[in-house]
Amino acid sequence: MGQNNQSPEQDLNQLLKVRHEKLKDLQDNGKDPFQITKYEVTNHSQEVKDNYDTLEGQTVSIAGRMMFKRVMGKASFCNVQDLQGNIQAYVARDNIGEDSYKDFKKYDVGDILGIKGEVFTTKTGEISIHAQEVTLLSKSLQILPEKYHGLTDTDARYRQRYVDLIMNAEVKDTFIKRSKVLSSIRRFLDAQGFMEVETPMLVSNAGGAAARPFETHFNALNEDLKLRISLELYLKRLIVGGMERVYEIGRVFRNEGLDTRHNPEFTLMELYQAYTDYYGMMDLTENLYRYVAKEVTGSEILTYGEHEMDLSKPFERITMVDAVKKYANVDFHQIKDTEEAKKLADEHHIEYEARHKKGDILNLFFEEYVEEHLIQPTFVMDHPLEISPLTKKKPDNPEYVERFEFFMNGWEMANAYSELNDPIDQRERFESQEALLAAGDDEANHTDEDFLNALNIGMPPTGGIGYGIDRMVMMMTNSPAIRDVLLFPTMKSLDK
């Protein structure tokens, strides 16, 4: 037997060359698939299977990518994959004609075909289409990954999501579910009287969150601008303007690292409701999560990895101080001042910065001892003032604010406030943020004079909340990393 001394790369180049030659041959014979502009699709694969009783013996037209082909003399089988799944086609020379059959035998896996024919069941019981016409709609000039191994290199999967979607049905299902998450959120909020709005992405002052922004330059005005890190300050302006219930779902940008839960551009939803407080936001969040889970997964029990989270029961509500007391056995109500808090941090080997105050250290204890335990849906309430520059103080305990973070699976899923609407207090908070900025805190906020002017006009008591939509989708689809729920996640350039 002869030996094949060609390398895999030479083999691949030869296969690609053959595909290009096939295309040229088609074009030379007036059969250029790229000249076809449309194809009449009457059904998708799953519709044909689901409605077999009524479609048996009927003529249908389907279109999709050929994923498998077996040629057997005068008759062949192929498998076509479309949006809904895949279906088998039986292609016989006597039905489609000799010339068409000769062409069909040269088609490659990956080519996009239109198949018109009668619905029937093969001897093995598989619902199929008995082809009357086969039309080549697009020629694939690249080789798909090997069928059984699929596209397993995660880096390649994220860079070439289009191939990932072709080869891995569960990936397509994740993104169909992502779309359902968004549409069900909108249905829920629209039914509650909320109005969807859009606010600027390019801003002169990126405020509303603790994060480092991306910066850019606007040539026409010769001004430096930033990409927004939050939606908050513009949405609150709309509450001032009399729009009582508003929400926005949109991309925000934070110049930070990449990991399984962070991408520099991600989808945030913020909503603001006049005449309510953070308790109103808790009720809304419970109802929203239950509604979306039921719509997308059909259940109020979510399975993520090894955990099961029950959304059907009332969500736990606990203050940050009580949570730290419960899991770290440290009671911050007994801590008098920052000096005592730092001493306690030293004893527990918790690192802090010189600028940190008692409230910051409480939060560091919370992150170290508590977060990982918050598997079931939990509202952690009443954060320290130092880490909440846009939140109303608790009237009976002004060291703390009317804020909660919503946790599931040990992750922060949402962040909500009784919004600060006192312009004098807000100016003082901005001033303390400016001091932090001057001391080297890149994530502190600048003073926003126009926002302060809006508060001076008068903002009603308001509840507001921000939801991480990508994490919500991860939870609803049991996806291990944020990149698995972003169609095109941020990747390091290959030419760097």
Side-chain angles (χ1 to χ4, degrees):
M1 287 182 66
Q3 290 245 288
N4 178 8
N5 295 319
Q6 286 189 308
S7 69
E9 194 174 331
Q10 287 173 315
D11 286 344
L12 179 62
N13 288 337
Q14 184 58 36
L15 289 169
L16 295 176
K17 186 180 171 202
V18 168
R19 291 200 177 200
H20 280 269
E21 286 168 354
K22 287 180 180 179
L23 174 63
K24 187 172 187 316
D25 188 49
L26 287 164
Q27 290 169 332
D28 290 346
N29 287 287
K31 297 175 180 177
D32 185 352
F34 299 124
Q35 296 294 318
I36 294 173
T37 57
K38 60 184 285 192
Y39 185 79
E40 196 67 45
V41 176
T42 64
N43 298 86
H44 282 83
S45 56
Q46 196 58 44
E47 287 171 354
V48 173
K49 293 174 183 177
D50 290 345
N51 298 291
Y52 179 73
D53 290 347
T54 53
L55 289 175
E56 184 185 9
Q58 302 292 314
T59 299
V60 297
S61 295
I62 59 122
R65 191 177 299 276
M66 183 164 67
M67 299 300 290
F68 168 79
K69 185 177 77 163
R70 187 168 81 245
V71 176
M72 306 179 303
K74 298 177 185 178
S76 302
F77 284 98
C78 69
N79 196 289
V80 173
Q81 178 175 295
D82 62 15
L83 176 68
Q84 294 183 353
N86 56 72
I87 194 163
Q88 180 174 269
Y90 174 68
V91 183
R93 185 190 68 183
D94 293 348
N95 289 91
I96 68 167
E98 198 162 334
D99 289 346
S100 290
Y101 191 65
K102 195 190 296 181
D103 288 339
F104 172 78
K105 288 200 289 185
K106 294 178 184 172
Y107 296 160
D108 293 301
V109 166
D111 288 352
I112 295 175
L113 306 180
I115 295 181
K116 182 178 181 180
E118 280 187 15
V119 177
F120 80 113
T121 307
T122 63
K123 288 173 186 171
T124 57
E126 186 167 353
I127 295 170
S128 307
I129 294 169
H130 198 311
Q132 297 160 351
E133 293 172 15
V134 178
T135 309
L136 180 64
L137 302 173
S138 183
K139 183 74 191 158
S140 174
L141 299 175
Q142 184 57 276
I143 312 291
L144 288 174
E146 201 271 316
K147 174 81 172 129
Y148 295 102
H149 298 109
L151 189 61
T152 52
D153 178 334
T154 52
D155 191 71
R157 285 181 51 225
Y158 298 140
R159 289 185 191 280
Q160 297 183 29
R161 183 68 85 186
Y162 42 92
V163 181
D164 193 23
L165 289 165
I166 293 165
M167 300 308 297
N168 298 312
E170 69 280 3
V171 171
K172 188 185 283 185
D173 184 57
T174 292
F175 289 104
I176 289 169
K177 281 183 175 163
R178 183 185 175 106
S179 179
K180 284 181 179 173
V181 167
L182 291 167
S183 59
S184 61
I185 288 170
R186 288 187 165 101
R187 273 195 303 280
F188 177 85
L189 291 177
D190 294 350
Q192 303 288 320
F194 281 84
M195 184 167 79
E196 185 172 10
V197 297
E198 293 169 300
T199 61
M201 289 193 186
L202 283 170
V203 294
S204 54
N205 185 359
R212 187 183 292 123
F214 287 93
E215 298 185 11
T216 186
H217 186 76
F218 184 20
N219 293 335
L221 294 180
N222 193 26
E223 281 185 4
D224 288 333
L225 292 173
K226 299 177 177 74
L227 288 169
R228 66 186 181 187
I229 59 172
S230 156
L231 313 172
E232 180 165 345
L233 300 182
Y234 280 100
L235 291 175
K236 285 183 178 175
R237 286 167 167 89
L238 299 180
I239 295 289
V240 170
M243 294 181 170
E244 294 181 3
R245 297 184 182 209
V246 293
Y247 74 97
E248 180 172 9
I249 299 172
R251 281 291 170 103
V252 295
F253 308 85
R254 298 184 182 179
N255 202 347
E256 298 167 346
L258 294 159
D259 63 30
T260 56
R261 279 185 276 162
H262 294 89
N263 195 70
E265 55 174 310
F266 63 97
T267 302
L268 183 64
M269 178 176 78
E270 292 196 30
L271 64 84
Y272 292 85
Q273 179 179 339
Y275 312 114
T276 191
D277 61 3
Y278 72 147
Y279 288 106
M281 293 296 102
M282 287 186 219
D283 294 340
L284 184 144
T285 299
E286 277 201 40
N287 293 329
L288 172 67
Y289 257 79
R290 282 190 195 115
Y291 179 87
V292 174
K294 200 82 190 293
E295 287 271 302
V296 175
T297 72
S299 171
E300 291 178 355
I301 311 289
L302 289 181
T303 302
Y304 188 87
E306 63 196 28
H307 299 303
E308 258 193 10
M309 287 150 288
D310 189 348
L311 304 182
S312 67
K313 298 173 184 169
F315 295 4
E316 184 184 356
R317 301 181 181 195
I318 188 170
T319 67
M320 185 179 277
V321 170
D322 285 346
V324 168
K325 189 175 174 182
K326 180 177 176 180
Y327 292 105
N329 204 25
V330 172
D331 186 354
F332 266 77
H333 284 319
Q334 306 300 317
I335 308 299
K336 292 193 293 292
D337 53 28
T338 296
E339 191 180 338
E340 201 176 319
K342 286 185 174 177
K343 188 179 170 205
L344 196 66
D346 291 336
E347 288 169 9
H348 286 78
H349 308 291
I350 289 177
E351 291 183 17
Y352 56 85
E353 295 175 32
R355 63 183 175 82
H356 280 154
K357 297 180 180 171
K358 175 185 164 184
D360 297 295
I361 289 167
L362 167 61
N363 189 50
L364 292 172
F365 267 85
F366 173 77
E367 289 173 353
E368 180 69 28
Y369 285 101
V370 181
E371 285 190 8
E372 64 183 314
H373 298 289
L374 304 178
I375 304 303
Q376 295 305 314
T378 306
F379 295 118
V380 176
M381 307 155 52
D382 302 351
H383 290 49
L385 176 65
E386 290 88 339
I387 61 167
S388 313
L390 297 162
T391 318
K392 272 194 175 183
K393 294 173 187 171
K394 290 183 69 64
D396 57 344
N397 191 357
E399 280 187 40
Y400 296 91
V401 295
E402 294 195 347
R403 172 185 176 187
F404 73 79
E405 288 175 306
F406 171 48
F407 281 84
M408 279 173 67
N409 193 51
W411 302 352
E412 181 204 334
M413 305 296 291
N415 184 20
Y417 309 154
S418 296
E419 301 297 333
L420 180 61
N421 61 343
D422 175 347
I424 297 162
D425 189 351
Q426 182 64 76
R427 183 173 289 280
E428 288 171 1
R429 308 253 196 122
F430 273 140
E431 283 169 1
S432 67
Q433 287 285 301
E434 291 282 2
L436 291 173
L437 206 63
D441 183 354
D442 291 339
E443 297 186 345
N445 284 199
H446 281 285
T447 302
D448 188 326
E449 290 294 346
D450 183 70
F451 176 64
L452 287 169
N453 185 57
L455 289 188
N456 275 304
I457 301 263
M459 185 172 92
T462 298
I465 187 164
Y467 298 90
I469 297 297
D470 306 303
R471 289 187 191 178
M472 189 183 201
V473 175
M474 287 172 71
M475 208 68 75
M476 299 285 172
T477 58
N478 196 9
S479 297
I482 192 170
R483 289 178 172 189
D484 296 317
V485 300
L486 297 173
L487 278 166
F488 300 102
T490 303
M491 304 290 288
K492 185 176 173 65
S493 175
L494 285 172
D495 55 12
K496 290 284 187 254

